[in-house]
Amino acid sequence: MGTNFPAIRKAVFPAAGLGTRFLPATKAQPKEMLALVDKPIIQYGVEEALASGMDNIIIVTGRGKNSIEDHFDVSFELETILEQKGKTDLLAVVREISDMIHVSYIRQKEALGLGHAVLMAKDLVGDEPFAVLLADDVIDAEEPALRQMLAIYEQTGASVIAVQQVPRAAISSYGAVQPVGEVDGRWGGRVCRVGNLVEKPPAAEAPSDLAVVGRYLLTPTIFRLLEQTPRGRGGEIQLTDALRALAAQEPLYALRFQGRRHDTGDKLGFLQATVELALKREDLGSEFRAYLRGLAL
Ligand code: UTP
């Protein structure tokens, strides 16, 4: 279907959080570089962005994030050694992704919150719509979650956030959306307009059981709103506050995406993702399944 809205080419990855839930592993290494099977968490997100047509990657880093830069950079030394040893398959694995993307880095000097991290990307994004991915939400989906969201943007030109239905008791760990109006019939009943958002509401006060997860398509209006957003809880600038202001000014849609989301910033979520992704791997799956079956659980 044709569209008159500007294409979304840029994807912002806020990766400047402290990762306290994963200490001590995250003391000297960002959580985005922890490997799921054999690939750093952030690479899953970058591959999702690329598969959704976004090859301009902007990574917001904090202290000690050099390993992210090294990961997406060319490693002449490693490539030369692999070449000399004739390991062409590994050479391809190492080269594959960095060849296809353009990566920029911007530093968030203080961890002043997700909203502040997104605001850091303002000059690199410019006056155009863009995507934000929280890499520790790894979404395993037939059609990349971001591409599912793009389908809505392409018809509406509006901002879109990804949501997931969670048990009522769990909503207090997330941002919850308050839908307005009827469910939109256009996308298989999976899309609604957002009237309001509430960060980590007690279950009894939650406006719905639809939890915001780490994928956003945003119009550049968000930057102006972030600039006006006062510091909230913990002295941080909350993205949720700016999204609430956005929803009051422009249409904001929420999509219940299809796919399986893993919260890999959480230890149990990380372990579950490791097991499920390993089981799906052609080179490992059957042996790993046999191993798990043999465990006396
Ligand atoms: P989290 O809420 O997961 O916080 O941030 P965190 O610091 O990374 O991890 P914990 O809770 O201490 O274990 C959500 C996303 O926002 C980014 C994080 O890197 C993560 O992708 N973030 C958060 C920033 O980039 N800057 C911030 O100041 C805060």
Side-chain angles (χ1 to χ4, degrees), residues 216-231:
Y216 312 80
L217 296 181
L218 301 170
T219 63
T221 308
I222 200 76
F223 291 126
R224 192 166 37 76
L225 296 171
L226 281 168
E227 279 166 343
Q228 294 164 4
T229 302
R231 291 194 191 184

Side-chain angles (χ1 to χ4, degrees), residues 98-147:
S98 357
D99 276 358
M100 293 196 289
I101 53 176
H102 175 269
V103 197
S104 324
Y105 299 90
I106 181 90
R107 208 155 247 260
Q108 184 191 22
K109 290 188 186 128
E110 268 184 283
L112 292 177
L114 175 58
H116 183 256
V118 171
L119 190 52
M120 292 293 103
K122 180 179 171 223
D123 289 345
L124 285 170
V125 171
D127 193 25
E128 54 183 275
F130 64 104
V132 174
L133 290 89
L134 304 189
D136 48 5
D137 274 339
V138 172
I139 301 180
D140 186 15
E142 228 162 83
E143 182 183 13
L146 216 49
R147 209 158 69 196

Side-chain angles (χ1 to χ4, degrees), residues 214-261:
R215 299 288 183 280
Y216 312 80
L217 296 181
L218 301 170
T219 63
T221 308
I222 200 76
F223 291 126
R224 192 166 37 76
L225 296 171
L226 281 168
E227 279 166 343
Q228 294 164 4
T229 302
R231 291 194 191 184
R233 208 161 22 88
E236 297 193 341
I237 296 178
Q238 305 281 346
L239 182 60
T240 305
D241 290 340
L243 287 173
R244 186 181 308 113
L246 185 80
Q249 289 193 5
E250 297 182 358
L252 171 64
Y253 291 95
L255 166 69
R256 278 192 299 117
F257 62 92
Q258 289 176 290
R260 185 145 169 77
R261 163 189 164 263

Side-chain angles (χ1 to χ4, degrees), residues 13-23 26 31-32 60-62 65 108 110-118 133-137 200 236-237 263 265-266:
F13 288 76
L18 299 176
T20 50
R21 281 171 296 163
F22 240 110
L23 282 167
T26 47
K31 64 177 170 183
E32 290 79 8
V60 184
T61 65
K65 302 275 177 168
Q108 184 191 22
E110 268 184 283
L112 292 177
L114 175 58
H116 183 256
V118 171
L133 290 89
L134 304 189
D136 48 5
D137 274 339
K200 301 192 169 68
E236 297 193 341
I237 296 178
D263 176 9
D266 171 75

